């Protein structure tokens, strides 16, 4: 499949039923996690190596009015992924469909993807020491199916299709949502600091309300490290060793010459001038 | 007082231990992180397991961080001298730095000013290593513990910073090892037995010997005698 795909979560339609979380666990064969009850509806605190998809249910009171901010959180499948750039083992790749995928065999669990991800998505599994996250059900979508979360969504809050279809749908829905939520806006649909994302949103309020960064960015530091510092570092290391070996050889040559010279002159200063 | 009428006491035992703890932990830190730098060393992960090396990196990091802190408690004299010497970088050290390069290939330059406990080059290396230690420790600790506390953008910059510091530290270490082992093998004894040949000390750290004589810790006679004994022997080695 060569077509660029995208997922759109319309938070205004989300009922917080968490069927998507169950469907994800089912398809990915992930175990349930015991989570404590903290007096609120949100189950897991954050994504984990056993939970690739989480519905956040944040309770908020603003101007005396209660808001329940629900959002489906998962890998954003950035167009310019910081995790991919930062991976020293080239274990992360982006498919033509836009899914960002971790190769389990190449991953060494160094955690650089977790450090670099502006959305704090990848989690290193404590047992396998391998980085984990949503892969947009790449196995399903490349066979013409939709991701399991989108498949199961009862409220049509999760939509999946080509990037163009989802962009058009997002624009259309935004106009409708704005009538009830004047602050409504799209997230990730257009190009941004991470190149745009393949997980996109219609938010009813500003991104920070949902815990999303206002201006996510794939740092220049990652390119600097991978494209410049690593190659220069390798060169400098080899150069230091070769340089010392060269200096050593030269010093031996000079000392043997000097010895011959000194024998001719019989004595002289022990220092070469 | 010279040891065996020949050697000038230079480093205390505890300081020597700190030196080798620092050297050993740095080398191990470098090796355990090397596969992340260069795919050529991926085999280290394959042999020992990536997770094992990542844990070892943290273990040696603790040694690397703790060494100078413990050193300040058990090797005050050595670290005191180190600090005093670095802060007294002067004109003679500049002259040393200018005249020093031929020494790298075993040519001893003439007109070298007398050097103190540490020569200009050593002072530069000490300052560089101290800066690199600080950079590695700060960036390393934040990468280790900072995710979720420090901003993402800041965190992303610490990885290249950590790598640059490690790379420069490694290059400096190679130079340091070369100078000690090949150019000035007599200096090695200082970091093994804690004392160095009086003849070498006088030639390379003349000002320090003068200071020791002025303090009454050595006498000019015993130094001259130690050097004289050496000079009577047939000279087979240059420098």
């Amino acid at each position: 499949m060569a077509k660029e795909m995208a997922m759109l979560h319309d938070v205004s339609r989300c009922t917080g039923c968490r069927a998507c979380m169950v469907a994800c666990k089912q398809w990915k064969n992930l175990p349930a996690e015991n989570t404590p009850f903290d007096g609120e509806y949100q189950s897991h605190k954050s994504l984990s190596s056993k939970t690739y998809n989480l519905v956040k249910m944040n309770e908020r009171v603003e101007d005396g009015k209660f808001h329940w901010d629900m959002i489906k959180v998962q890998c954003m499948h950035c167009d310019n992924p910081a995790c991919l750039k930062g991976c020293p083992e080239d274990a992360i790749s982006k498919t033509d469909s836009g899914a960002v995928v971790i190769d389990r065999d190449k991953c060494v669990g160094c955690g650089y993807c977790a450090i670099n991800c502006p959305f704090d998505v990848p989690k290193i599994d404590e047992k396998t020491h391998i980085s984990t996250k949503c892969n947009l059900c790449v196995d399903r979508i490349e066979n013409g199916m939709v991701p399991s979360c989108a498949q199961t969504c009862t409220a049509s809050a999760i939509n999946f299709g080509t990037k163009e279809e989802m962009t058009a749908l997002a624009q259309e829905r935004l106009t409708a949502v704005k009538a009830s939520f004047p602050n409504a806006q799209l997230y990730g649909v257009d190009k941004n600091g991470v190149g745009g994302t393949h997980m996109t949103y219609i938010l009813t309020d500003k991104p920070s309300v949902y815990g999303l960064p206002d201006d996510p960015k794939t740092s220049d530091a990652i390119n600097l490290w991978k494209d410049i510092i690593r190659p220069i570092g390798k060169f400098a290391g080899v150069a230091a060793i070769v340089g010392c070996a060269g200096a050593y050889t030269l010093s031996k040559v000079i000392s043997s010459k000097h010895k011959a010279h000194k024998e001719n002159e019989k004595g002289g200063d022990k220092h070469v001038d | 007082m010279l040891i065996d009428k020949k050697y000038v006491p230079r480093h205390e035992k505890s300081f020597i231990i700190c030196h080798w703890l620092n050297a050993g932990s740095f080398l191990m830190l470098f090796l355990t992180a090397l596969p992340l730098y260069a795919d050529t060393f991926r085999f280290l992960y394959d042999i020992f397991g990536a997770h094992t090396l990542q844990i070892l990196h943290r273990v040696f990091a603790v040694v690397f961080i703790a060494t100078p802190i413990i050193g300040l408690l058990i090797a005050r004299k050595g670290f005191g001298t180190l600090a005093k010497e670095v802060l007294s970088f002067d004109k003679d050290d500049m002259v040393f730095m200018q005249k020093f390069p031929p020494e790298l290939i075993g040519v001893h330059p003439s007109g070298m000013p007398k050097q103190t406990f540490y020569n200009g080059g050593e002072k530069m290396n000490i300052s560089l290593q101290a800066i690199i230690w600080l950079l590695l420790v700060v960036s390393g600790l934040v990468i280790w513990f900072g995710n979720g506390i420090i901003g993402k953008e800041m965190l992303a910059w610490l990885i290249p910073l950590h790598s640059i510091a490690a790379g420069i530290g490694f290059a400096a270490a190679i130079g340091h090892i070369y100078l000690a082992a090949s150019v000035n093998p007599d200096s090695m004894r200082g970091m093994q037995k804690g004392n160095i040949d009086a003849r070498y000390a006088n030639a390379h750290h003349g000002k320090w010997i003068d200071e020791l004589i002025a303090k009454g810790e050595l006498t000019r006679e015993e130094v001259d005698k130690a050097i004289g004994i050496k000079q009577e022997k047939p000279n087979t080695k240059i420098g």
Side-chain angles (χ1 to χ4, degrees), chain A residues 15 23 35 39 41-42 46 84 86-87 96 104 120-121 126 128 144 183 206 216 226 235 273:
Chain A
T15 61
T35 54
Y41 278 91
Q42 187 173 324
S46 61
L84 183 155
C87 178
D96 291 341
R104 289 178 57 91
D120 212 18
V121 168
E126 281 177 13
T128 60
N183 287 337
K206 55 184 186 290
K226 212 169 187 184
F235 177 76
D273 289 345

Side-chain angles (χ1 to χ4, degrees), chain A residues 36-196:
Chain A
F37 178 64
D38 288 333
E40 55 182 12
Y41 278 91
Q42 187 173 324
S43 50
H44 309 62
K45 283 270 168 276
S46 61
L47 295 174
S48 75
S49 62
K50 294 173 186 71
T51 302
Y52 301 167
N53 174 40
L54 168 68
V55 175
K56 278 195 182 174
M57 304 166 91
N58 184 39
E59 294 162 31
R60 170 174 62 103
V61 179
E62 202 175 284
D63 301 330
K65 209 178 155 200
F66 178 77
H67 296 267
W68 208 1
D69 306 315
M70 284 180 272
I71 186 169
K72 168 184 167 39
V73 181
Q74 57 157 78
C75 173
M76 298 294 281
H77 299 281
C78 305
D79 203 38
N80 181 20
C83 59
L84 183 155
K85 290 261 168 160
C87 178
E89 304 296 325
D90 294 326
I92 305 179
S93 59
K94 200 179 83 178
T95 65
D96 291 341
S97 51
V100 178
V101 182
I102 298 173
D103 183 338
R104 289 178 57 91
D105 294 334
K106 284 187 183 171
C107 177
V108 295
C110 70
Y112 278 17
C113 52
I115 289 173
N116 284 314
C117 173
F119 302 101
D120 212 18
V121 168
K123 304 287 173 199
I124 310 296
D125 187 80
E126 281 177 13
K127 279 218 175 95
T128 60
H129 310 299
I130 281 172
S131 186
T132 58
K133 66 172 195 65
C134 152
N135 65 358
L136 205 62
C137 284
V138 71
D139 47 349
R140 291 172 65 97
I141 66 174
E142 300 211 337
N143 287 294
M145 298 162 81
V146 299
S148 59
C149 57
Q151 174 84 39
T152 204
C153 184
T154 53
S156 301
I158 308 171
N159 303 275
F160 187 80
T162 63
K163 179 84 180 165
E164 295 98 73
E165 282 166 5
M166 289 302 109
T167 305
L169 180 65
Q171 305 286 3
E172 185 195 317
R173 283 288 303 152
L174 180 66
T175 321
V177 174
K178 275 216 165 174
S180 317
F181 302 95
N183 287 337
Q185 54 189 281
L186 303 181
Y187 192 84
V189 175
D190 299 318
K191 291 271 170 210
N192 57 14
V194 293

Side-chain angles (χ1 to χ4, degrees), chain A residues 234-260:
Chain A
K234 281 181 214 170
F235 177 76
V238 174
I241 294 166
V242 171
C244 284
Y248 177 77
T249 316
L250 211 55
S251 68
K252 286 289 159 214
V253 172
I254 288 169
S255 91
S256 65
K257 267 195 185 164
H258 181 68
K259 208 179 266 176

Side-chain angles (χ1 to χ4, degrees), chain B residues 13 28 46-47 59 71 74 96 99 109 131 140 163 171 230:
Chain B
K13 265 261 145 46
M28 289 310 290
D46 297 335
I47 295 171
V59 171
I74 64 165
F96 175 89
K99 288 184 175 274
I131 293 166
S163 297
K230 277 279 196 181

Side-chain angles (χ1 to χ4, degrees), chain B residues 175-186:
Chain B
H176 179 72
I177 294 165
Y178 172 68
L179 281 167
S182 176
V183 179
N184 296 312
D186 285 340

Side-chain angles (χ1 to χ4, degrees), chain B residues 44-203:
Chain B
L44 289 174
Y45 273 170
D46 297 335
I47 295 171
F48 299 104
H51 188 63
T52 312
L53 293 192
Q54 286 156 9
I55 294 293
L56 282 176
H57 193 77
R58 285 156 176 82
V59 171
F60 287 110
V62 173
V63 178
F64 187 69
I65 294 167
T67 298
I69 297 166
I70 295 169
L72 288 179
L73 298 172
I74 64 165
R76 263 187 205 180
K77 192 167 155 254
F79 276 90
T81 309
L82 199 101
K84 203 183 87 208
E85 284 281 302
V86 167
L87 294 173
S88 64
F89 193 90
D90 62 12
K91 219 180 78 198
D92 281 352
D93 293 313
M94 287 302 291
V95 177
F96 175 89
M97 290 308 289
Q98 286 158 11
K99 288 184 175 274
F100 163 76
E103 193 130 0
L104 283 169
I105 51 165
V107 178
H108 294 276
S110 65
M112 190 65 105
K114 279 184 170 184
Q115 296 290 303
T116 55
F117 191 92
Y118 290 118
N119 65 40
E122 287 169 325
K123 287 178 187 175
M124 297 277 276
N125 183 47
I126 293 161
S127 319
L128 181 72
Q129 294 295 351
I131 293 166
I132 285 185
W133 181 86
L134 196 66
L135 288 177
L136 284 173
V137 169
V138 172
S139 60
L141 284 175
V142 177
I143 292 170
W144 188 357
F145 297 110
N147 199 5
I149 302 166
I150 303 286
K152 283 283 172 184
E153 179 68 2
M154 176 74 166
L155 217 48
W157 280 101
L158 290 175
I159 293 174
L161 181 69
H162 198 72
S163 297
I164 295 172
I168 296 172
F170 177 72
I174 292 290
H176 179 72
I177 294 165
Y178 172 68
L179 281 167
S182 176
V183 179
N184 296 312
D186 285 340
S187 70
M188 291 285 281
R189 200 184 152 94
M191 270 305 164
Q192 288 165 337
K193 300 217 155 76
N195 52 61
I196 52 171
D197 196 305
R199 185 166 148 266
Y200 173 80
N202 196 53

